[in-house]
Amino acid sequence: NTWDRRSYPTAASLWAVEFLDTQTGFVSGHNNDMYKTLNGGITWQQIPLPSIVGSNFDITFKDAQTGIATGDFGNILRTTDGGNTWDIVSTTGSTINAYYKSVVHTSGSTWFVSGSFGMILKSTDDGLTWSLFQHPTTKYFQDIHFINDLQGWAAGHNGLFATTNDGGANWNVQFHSQGLSFYDIYFKDP
């Protein structure tokens, strides 16, 4: 019902927030900044990240230990120790110019990432390796969401929209007729 204003730990723009519980959370954003709180956001500690250029756009954890962060210049970061350390993961078929805007965990070891140039990536080994689906477009997928292991949606710039009913093996890509940009997508149920 009420919100308490909290100071945040940097002057840089922050684009992602992920809380594992009421006390433990992460924020990340511009200049490769990532911070962790253990007291509900009262104080923040900077997390040392691999030396990369760019920003982190999204963070998602599947449990208290395993998480994925996405960013620009083809960067995907992975942690298996609760976000204390992060490693750069190579991405099959991606380019240095790729911007990965969103990450979602579906179940088990399966993850999806969406991004620039119509890219959707899938990992079935907790982010160690990634397979690429790429629609021939210069448009971005801004967000990706799954309601179960099979049904998912991705949405993005200038009406770019995609659906899958087979766990990402195939994607039906469409463009909204009015060219509206979508920055977030969420479905509660089918």
Side-chain angles (χ1 to χ4, degrees):
N1 291 338
T2 62
W3 289 85
D4 294 325
R5 180 178 291 274
R6 300 277 190 225
S7 62
Y8 65 91
T10 179
S13 297
L14 297 174
W15 291 308
V17 176
E18 172 81 351
F19 270 79
L20 307 181
D21 54 44
T22 60
Q23 298 300 305
T24 306
F26 297 84
V27 294
S28 69
H30 193 64
N31 296 332
N32 198 35
D33 282 344
M34 186 179 293
Y35 296 85
K36 181 177 183 178
T37 182
L38 296 173
N39 57 14
I42 295 170
T43 60
W44 296 88
Q45 296 290 7
Q46 188 166 20
I47 304 286
L49 296 177
S51 181
I52 59 173
V53 177
S55 301
N56 297 309
F57 297 118
D58 199 10
I59 310 169
T60 299
F61 278 77
K62 79 171 198 174
D63 56 37
Q65 298 301 310
T66 308
I68 302 287
T70 58
D72 53 11
F73 303 108
N75 291 313
I76 295 178
L77 302 176
R78 178 178 182 266
T79 184
T80 57
D81 65 2
N84 295 314
T85 61
W86 294 80
D87 296 312
I88 297 173
V89 180
S90 65
T91 55
T92 304
S94 67
T95 67
I96 190 109
N97 295 322
Y99 288 76
Y100 298 133
K101 296 294 206 170
S102 181
V103 58
V104 65
H105 173 255
T106 57
S107 69
S109 299
T110 303
W111 298 76
F112 287 88
V113 166
S114 64
S116 57
F117 310 113
M119 290 185 190
I120 297 174
L121 288 82
K122 180 179 182 179
S123 173
T124 57
D125 58 9
D126 274 334
L128 289 172
T129 60
W130 296 86
S131 59
L132 173 68
F133 166 84
Q134 186 168 7
H135 183 270
T137 182
T138 58
K139 309 291 189 264
Y140 284 45
F141 283 116
Q142 285 290 127
D143 196 26
I144 190 165
H145 177 74
F146 276 73
I147 58 168
N148 57 41
D149 291 342
L150 299 176
Q151 293 179 286
W153 294 264
H157 288 175
N158 302 108
L160 181 60
F161 188 77
T163 61
T164 182
N165 290 311
D166 59 10
N170 297 286
W171 290 87
N172 178 22
V173 177
Q174 302 171 355
F175 288 88
H176 186 276
S177 62
Q178 295 180 357
L180 301 173
S181 290
F182 300 97
Y183 293 93
D184 198 12
I185 190 164
Y186 179 82
F187 287 85
K188 184 177 177 182
D189 54 45

